[in-house]
Amino acid sequence: MKNLNLLLLLLLFSLHLTSVLSWKKDEFRNCNQTPFCKRARSRKPGYSSLLATHVTISDGDLVAKLLPKDLNDQINPLILSISAYQDGILRLRIDEDPSSDPPPPKKRFQVPDVIVPEFDNKKLWLQTLSTETFHGDASPSSVAYLSDAYEAVLRHDPFEVYVRDKSNGNRVISLNSHGLFDFEQLRAKKTKNEQQNEGDHHQDQDQDQDQDEAHDQAQDHDQNEDDWAETFRGHTDKRPYGPQSISFDVSFYGADFVYGIPERASSFALKPTRGPGLEDHSEPYRLFNLDVFEYIHDAPFGLYGSIPFMISHGKSYGTSGFFWLNAAEMQIDVLSAGWDADSGISLPSDRTRIDTFWMSEAGIVDTFFFVGPGPKDVVRQYTSVTGTPAMPQHFATAYHQCRWNYRDEEDVEQVDSKFDENDIPYDVLWLDIEHTDGKRYFTWDRVLFPHPEEMQNKLAAKGRHMVTIVDPHIKRDDSYFLHKEATQKGYYVKDANGNDFDGWCWPGSSSYPDTLNPVIRSWWADKFSYDNYVGSTPSLYIWNDMNEPSVFNGPELTMPRDSLHYGGVEHRELHNAYGYYFHMATADGLLKRGNGNDRPFVLSRAIFAGSQRHGAIWTGDNSAEWDQLRVSVPMILTLGLTGISFSGADVGGFFGNPEPELLVRWYQVGAFYPFFRAHAHHDTKRREPWLFGERNTELIRDAIHVRYMLLPYFYTLFREANTSGVPVVRPLWMEFPSEEATFNNDEAFMVGNSILVQGIYTERAKHASVYLPGKQSWYDLRTGTIYKGGITHKLEISEDSIPAFQRAGTIIPRKDRFRRSSTQMVNDPYTLVIALNSSQAAEGELYVDDGKSFEFKHGAYIHRRFVFSDGKLTSVNLAPTFPASSRFSSASVIERIILLGNAPGPKSAHIEATNLKVDVELGPLWVHRGRGSAVVTIRKPGVRIADDWTIKIF
């Protein structure tokens, strides 16, 4: 009998495993199968009947109560507060009133540990309110200071909040302009006796009730019963507090397009989901973290992460943003023009406007309005709330080699040596779940990996690192130390009945640590110490997968919504942040392991707002298809706009076997991803770079070499992201915000402000159309050929490379010597590539630190600005002055200076600080290619990157 039970369990597991091996639409809910979404979508403009009363100033905030116009509506008042922060940020919060009668049965969940602590210091304490009566309104509105250029307006009747430009009165962003606000308040389910008593009371009141009314009452009773539970594909979700959803409309004024709300595999600019010309069954964009194998492209379906942050951009206003801090499932409609034609609601129509509709299953209203007005302003404003991206270790910005799975230590050694044999640099080798002892994390399969420390040390001797996987599902095995300790301490998420939640994942029966609890996060972090993670070394870093969380036998392959977390929080309330807290705990573990001195590297699949502070992410289980290569670009651009700068897609596609041409093209695009990693499923053919013939090996090697040469530029951009939030890879309109041709372009992208990349997304392509924005010229990154800006060029394409260009007026730092890893390049000399504009001027930056510690926070770094003007190249210090003891020093020098677009005639260069004269000659743009036009080159000027200097060219 015992064997039969085991067989049944294994059969069940195999069925669940099969179910996640490909994307199946019917496994996941659509809006009509999601009660809160279906209810919200059924409401018409003007539905909301709330008005703002008792408006006053309290603790520096504008506060008010929201009450129904109809006093017979039996709902409790809601509490509204508006706060103003530096840089024109408005925060709007709406929650149930804890002092109401009766009070709410519990406190609604407010997402903790996402807003950075320093944001509170930026609050502006409001002192006074002014009032203003707008045309057609029966009562005045309240107006509050937001910044010197903007005001916050609370309209009382009907209730509405918006930000307006002081100079012209134009709106920027508004909430509830269409009257779609709804807030379902928590209820406690009545006992059978209470229901019976109420029924007797109503019966005494009206003995003459006719049959139709009785029928209606029976229908209402059935509907009420549905409030307390719902079922999907055999899974029942109990709702002890009834429906608790929130929905409202948000409008962006002066907008041509909206972007953001990852994660999804679709176009960069968000397409309308409701309105004229769209089918009735079109789906909203869904934010609900799910384990989606082989996801499809061009779909609004939510994937592994959720960031409820939307950005608008248009020519007439610029850029604005809206963020809803809420970790429950969310559905968002983008409404097409004319959707509200019959509403009777009048809004300003002199400028373009995009209306959106936001729906969430639970939580509170905790929203942020960002006024911009520039693209980088909005990103900076958003990351001032959720934090800027962590500064990565230098090695992490280089190339990573991964597969599910490298079989054993011999396989690892052979792959490592083959990279050297084929002259291909790489920095990190990854091990997937099969390296463990029976899917028990923090362990090793001692048959396949008997000497893990020695294996890691061999890689470290070449400057390389290793990453192992640690997922949140803990194998329920009483002999497994981690499970035993978590069970004894009560550290697992509970099911609806208060027992340890038991779900199925890779190890079979599994439980999940409740990392919402800070105590449990600290406990989890301790597991990464060298004593606890036996076999780990300082060169080992971590990969968090399956942390949506993935539960093979759960509803929609995830944890039931009625599971319980720390503080009695239902899983429905925090689902989208579960992976965020797990990622945080893992990053904290590596911090603890290194005594706070070593920057963590942790890759996560699940993401939420703020994930950028804890590490990198990748776009999940893509496929070896041309369309998947293409959609990787808008996915990465969207993540960058929403704070997640350190992101990438699996090069080559996780599923399937790419044809050599697709694989090569993917490496050529992937070399410009912020996170550059090749990865593959264990059922695919091996696809290391040397397995596709000599010519393809050469092309892949060349693509990887491009990344290594540009590492100084990339690292400088990562520092820019770390300080400002501006992403490493960015849309064209971030650099050219007034050029309408860039607004809907998601095939090309900028790397920083200096490089434009156009991917090739079709097989056997012979030509590509590339729009080069701006009034200045562009230089082909490979050949130096000059192209005019502001027009579309039809270019011939070869297999050698994809179109990539350096913007005139910029300077890019490079390192041109090839090594086995980036770590071995530390002391190598630099090349500066100066692309002159029409004024014969250019500028760029270089940031350098030790690449691994946090000493840069104390001033231990080099930050230089290079400026070329009037025939002189000058190096200027951008770093603040710190004591000599905390400064970072480097003996690295400038080896070559390349001038593109230089006026003819320079013969020599004079280094002013040393009074040395250096020859100017013609040389190759790329030393190792031996092809392309000769360019003006200053060889071996020998100036140090850390010093001030000026070079005059004659």
Side-chain angles (χ1 to χ4, degrees):
M1 185 66 183
K2 183 177 180 181
N3 290 337
L4 178 60
N5 288 337
L6 180 59
L7 181 62
L8 289 172
L9 286 172
L10 289 173
L11 178 61
L12 175 67
F13 178 59
S14 67
L15 288 172
H16 289 306
L17 180 58
T18 302
S19 73
V20 298
L21 289 181
S22 62
W23 191 81
K24 295 182 179 178
K25 186 176 181 180
D26 62 355
E27 296 237 358
F28 305 102
R29 304 201 300 183
N30 61 34
C31 180
N32 279 335
Q33 295 168 318
T34 307
F36 80 86
C37 183
K38 186 176 181 180
R39 287 195 305 275
R41 263 187 155 192
S42 70
R43 299 180 186 118
K44 303 299 182 184
Y47 164 87
S48 175
S49 64
L50 296 177
L51 52 86
T53 66
H54 303 82
V55 180
T56 186
I57 296 287
S58 177
D59 292 330
D61 295 334
L62 183 162
V63 296
K65 286 189 176 184
L66 296 181
L67 297 170
K69 291 182 184 179
D70 186 349
L71 298 179
N72 291 320
D73 285 351
Q74 297 299 308
I75 62 172
N76 288 329
L78 300 172
I79 300 299
L80 173 149
S81 70
I82 291 176
S83 307
Y85 293 83
Q86 294 173 17
D87 210 10
I89 299 172
L90 180 149
R91 184 179 188 180
L92 168 67
R93 283 171 284 190
I94 303 174
D95 197 357
E96 298 190 44
D97 184 353
S99 64
S100 60
D101 183 20
K106 74 165 216 170
K107 181 179 173 61
R108 296 178 77 111
F109 181 62
Q110 300 180 34
V111 187
D113 304 313
V114 169
I115 299 176
V116 293
E118 54 268 28
F119 180 68
D120 285 339
N121 299 328
K122 298 179 180 179
K123 179 178 173 178
L124 304 176
W125 287 71
L126 300 178
Q127 303 294 325
T128 59
L129 289 176
S130 62
T131 59
E132 187 174 337
T133 302
F134 300 110
H135 178 71
D137 284 0
S139 60
S141 297
S142 299
V143 181
Y145 175 89
L146 186 58
S147 73
D148 290 344
Y150 298 94
E151 293 174 318
V153 178
L154 171 63
R155 193 178 176 198
H156 297 186
D157 182 10
F159 148 64
E160 180 188 14
V161 176
Y162 60 90
V163 174
R164 70 179 182 185
D165 188 325
K166 283 184 183 180
S167 65
N168 52 29
N170 287 340
R171 295 181 176 207
V172 179
I173 311 171
S174 68
L175 184 145
N176 202 38
S177 298
H178 294 276
L180 287 170
F181 183 87
D182 187 70
F183 195 114
E184 296 179 328
Q185 299 189 18
L186 301 178
R187 294 177 288 157
K189 187 174 184 180
K190 293 181 174 63
T191 65
K192 289 184 178 180
N193 287 337
E194 289 172 329
Q195 289 177 348
Q196 182 63 46
N197 290 337
E198 279 194 1
D200 293 341
H201 175 69
H202 290 302
Q203 190 172 29
D204 291 340
Q205 281 188 319
D206 190 359
Q207 293 290 337
D208 298 325
Q209 180 177 318
D210 61 25
Q211 264 191 325
D212 288 339
E213 288 175 327
H215 176 69
D216 290 342
Q217 191 179 56
Q219 285 188 319
D220 289 342
H221 174 75
D222 291 340
Q223 179 63 40
N224 289 339
E225 284 302 308
D226 291 342
D227 286 350
W228 306 103
E230 63 181 77
T231 300
F232 177 73
R233 291 180 61 87
H235 296 278
T236 298
D237 168 29
K238 301 173 185 176
R239 293 191 297 216
Y241 303 102
Q244 51 183 294
S245 70
I246 304 170
S247 54
F248 48 77
D249 56 278
V250 175
S251 296
F252 299 88
Y253 298 82
D256 296 324
F257 293 96
V258 287
Y259 313 84
I261 58 170
E263 189 178 26
R264 53 191 167 73
S266 61
S267 62
F268 182 46
L270 293 165
K271 298 174 183 177
T273 58
R274 283 176 65 196
L278 296 174
E279 297 179 10
D280 291 338
H281 61 269
S282 62
E283 286 294 305
Y285 294 100
R286 189 184 189 197
L287 297 184
F288 190 64
N289 294 9
L290 290 171
D291 179 2
V292 187
F293 273 45
E294 281 190 286
Y295 56 80
I296 58 175
H297 73 282
D298 198 22
F301 190 82
L303 298 178
Y304 313 95
S306 300
I307 302 178
F309 173 41
M310 185 179 287
I311 291 180
S312 79
H313 185 71
K315 191 169 185 178
S316 68
Y317 172 73
T319 316
S320 62
F322 179 82
F323 168 51
W324 187 2
L325 179 55
N326 189 323
E329 178 182 356
M330 203 174 289
Q331 305 263 5
I332 303 171
D333 271 319
V334 176
L335 305 166
S336 63
W339 75 276
D340 58 341
D342 300 326
S343 69
I345 296 174
S346 177
L347 288 174
S349 57
D350 57 328
R351 295 181 303 150
T352 56
R353 186 186 80 241
I354 294 181
D355 299 323
T356 60
F357 184 46
W358 298 61
M359 305 161 272
S360 180
E361 184 182 11
I364 68 167
V365 176
D366 191 358
T367 59
F368 298 79
F369 297 56
F370 305 110
V371 297
K376 295 179 184 179
D377 296 325
V378 171
V379 172
R380 186 186 68 250
Q381 290 156 5
Y382 169 73
T383 54
S384 74
V385 176
T386 63
T388 57
M391 188 65 193
Q393 289 211 36
H394 188 272
F395 80 83
T397 67
Y399 175 63
H400 301 243
Q401 182 67 36
C402 186
R403 180 177 179 79
W404 180 18
N405 202 81
Y406 287 117
R407 295 183 302 268
D408 51 29
E409 289 180 2
E410 182 180 0
D411 195 10
V412 168
E413 188 170 357
Q414 287 179 350
V415 169
D416 178 67
S417 64
K418 277 289 188 180
F419 271 96
D420 295 338
E421 183 180 322
N422 286 278
D423 191 27
I424 301 174
Y426 87 100
D427 269 67
V428 192
L429 196 69
W430 294 55
L431 295 180
D432 212 314
I433 54 178
E434 311 303 336
H435 82 277
T436 63
D437 176 13
K439 315 295 189 302
R440 298 171 181 86
Y441 300 109
F442 303 102
T443 70
W444 302 84
D445 184 321
R446 288 296 176 174
V447 174
L448 302 177
F449 296 92
H451 310 293
E453 294 180 53
E454 181 182 341
M455 172 181 63
Q456 294 163 59
N457 290 336
K458 285 181 179 178
L459 295 177
K462 299 179 181 180
R464 290 168 178 159
H465 299 77
M466 177 165 275
V467 168
T468 55
I469 195 166
V470 177
D471 292 348
H473 45 260
I474 297 176
K475 185 180 180 72
R476 292 185 62 83
D477 176 352
D478 291 340
S479 65
Y480 178 26
F481 72 92
L482 197 61
H483 170 65
K484 186 176 180 180
E485 187 177 347
T487 302
Q488 290 174 346
K489 292 178 178 290
Y491 281 177
Y492 285 137
V493 176
K494 309 301 180 188
D495 63 22
N497 297 316
N499 303 313
D500 287 349
F501 173 73
D502 185 349
W504 282 76
C505 207
W506 297 126
S509 178
S510 305
S511 289
Y512 298 71
D514 184 6
T515 47
L516 173 64
N517 187 335
V519 172
I520 298 175
R521 287 204 299 269
S522 180
W523 168 81
W524 181 258
D526 289 337
K527 301 308 165 193
F528 293 91
S529 71
Y530 300 121
D531 290 338
N532 286 326
Y533 192 174
V534 176
S536 64
T537 71
S539 63
L540 182 74
Y541 294 89
I542 302 299
W543 171 18
N544 289 161
D545 196 0
M546 314 297 284
N547 54 336
E548 292 75 27
S550 177
V551 181
F552 293 162
N553 63 337
E556 299 190 274
L557 307 178
T558 192
M559 189 172 285
R561 297 166 191 246
D562 55 9
S563 302
L564 296 173
H565 293 261
Y566 171 64
V569 175
E570 292 183 282
H571 187 72
R572 80 180 76 254
E573 301 175 274
L574 66 76
H575 172 83
N576 287 340
Y578 178 83
Y580 166 80
Y581 293 118
F582 186 74
H583 191 195
M584 178 195 297
T586 303
D588 286 347
L590 295 188
L591 272 172
K592 279 187 175 182
R593 183 188 76 172
N595 296 316
N597 298 319
D598 188 53
R599 296 179 219 167
F601 173 76
V602 183
L603 180 75
S604 175
R605 189 170 70 177
I607 55 169
F608 188 65
S611 288
Q612 65 269 16
R613 305 200 307 270
H614 307 300
I617 75 104
W618 91 108
T619 61
D621 299 336
N622 58 0
S623 302
E625 301 170 4
W626 287 96
D627 284 336
Q628 293 273 331
L629 167 59
R630 187 196 179 285
V631 83
S632 72
V633 171
M635 291 180 79
I636 290 167
L637 288 174
T638 299
L639 288 165
L641 275 186
T642 54
I644 312 289
S645 192
F646 199 6
S647 68
D650 285 343
V651 170
F654 179 64
F655 286 103
N657 297 301
E659 293 300 317
E661 183 187 3
L662 172 59
L663 184 63
V664 168
R665 290 301 192 200
W666 213 317
Y667 268 99
Q668 290 170 344
V669 173
F672 295 98
Y673 291 162
F675 175 60
F676 183 24
R677 181 186 75 155
H679 185 36
H681 190 274
H682 63 64
D683 287 339
T684 64
K685 298 176 183 177
R686 294 290 287 256
R687 61 167 88 140
E688 284 74 32
W690 50 86
L691 296 177
F692 296 86
E694 186 175 340
R695 176 57 178 158
N696 289 314
T697 299
E698 179 185 355
L699 293 172
I700 294 172
R701 177 194 302 118
D702 189 56
I704 296 174
H705 277 163
V706 167
R707 174 55 167 249
Y708 276 77
M709 293 175 75
L710 292 174
L711 281 177
Y713 180 60
F714 270 92
Y715 198 65
T716 301
L717 294 176
F718 275 106
R719 177 56 171 168
E720 181 185 5
N722 173 245
T723 56
S724 70
V726 176
V728 172
V729 166
R730 53 193 75 158
L732 271 58
W733 54 260
M734 183 168 276
E735 293 298 328
F736 302 92
S738 63
E739 291 210 29
E740 293 178 83
T742 68
F743 293 177
N744 201 25
N745 186 335
D746 56 8
E747 290 194 348
F749 57 93
M750 296 292 298
V751 181
N753 71 340
S754 304
I755 295 176
L756 184 150
V757 178
Q758 169 71 54
I760 299 299
Y761 309 112
T762 56
E763 57 185 328
R764 295 187 293 277
K766 301 299 181 185
H767 298 89
S769 294
V770 184
Y771 178 72
L772 297 176
K775 297 179 181 179
Q776 295 291 337
S777 299
W778 295 80
Y779 298 87
D780 187 291
L781 201 64
R782 301 289 188 126
T783 65
T785 303
I786 192 166
Y787 292 90
K788 185 179 180 180
I791 61 173
T792 298
H793 298 267
K794 186 176 182 181
L795 305 176
E796 290 189 2
I797 301 300
S798 73
E799 65 178 3
D800 291 359
S801 63
I802 59 175
F805 306 87
Q806 183 174 349
R807 181 182 181 180
T810 65
I811 300 175
I812 291 176
R814 290 190 335 210
K815 284 194 174 184
D816 291 353
R817 297 187 182 181
F818 295 159
R819 307 289 187 187
R820 290 177 172 180
S821 66
S822 68
T823 310
Q824 296 185 343
M825 298 167 63
V826 169
N827 296 315
D828 285 351
Y830 289 80
T831 293
L832 297 182
V833 181
I834 303 174
L836 296 173
N837 61 18
S838 57
S839 302
Q840 292 285 286
E843 64 178 53
E845 295 183 14
L846 173 66
Y847 174 84
V848 183
D849 61 24
D850 66 15
K852 55 188 178 182
S853 78
F854 289 97
E855 290 303 309
F856 71 93
K857 291 188 174 184
H858 308 293
Y861 61 86
I862 295 167
H863 191 188
R864 311 297 301 186
R865 173 171 289 145
F866 304 115
V867 179
F868 188 93
S869 181
D870 298 326
K872 289 184 178 182
L873 175 63
T874 303
S875 175
V876 180
N877 180 38
L878 292 180
T881 302
F882 284 92
S885 59
S886 65
R887 293 177 193 166
F888 175 73
S889 62
S890 172
S892 293
V893 299
I894 307 294
E895 184 179 41
R896 299 168 69 229
I897 299 172
I898 294 171
L899 288 166
L900 300 177
N902 190 68
K907 303 294 183 182
S908 63
H910 178 249
I911 303 170
E912 294 186 354
T914 59
N915 204 29
L916 293 177
K917 190 176 180 180
V918 185
D919 289 338
V920 177
E921 59 187 44
L922 293 179
L925 179 55
W926 297 79
V927 173
H928 297 278
R929 288 202 173 85
R931 58 184 184 274
S933 304
V935 293
V936 175
T937 305
I938 303 171
R939 290 190 67 245
K940 297 184 178 180
V943 290
R944 297 189 347 142
I945 62 165
D947 295 343
D948 293 339
W949 44 260
T950 298
I951 299 175
K952 173 75 173 176
I953 299 175
F954 298 95

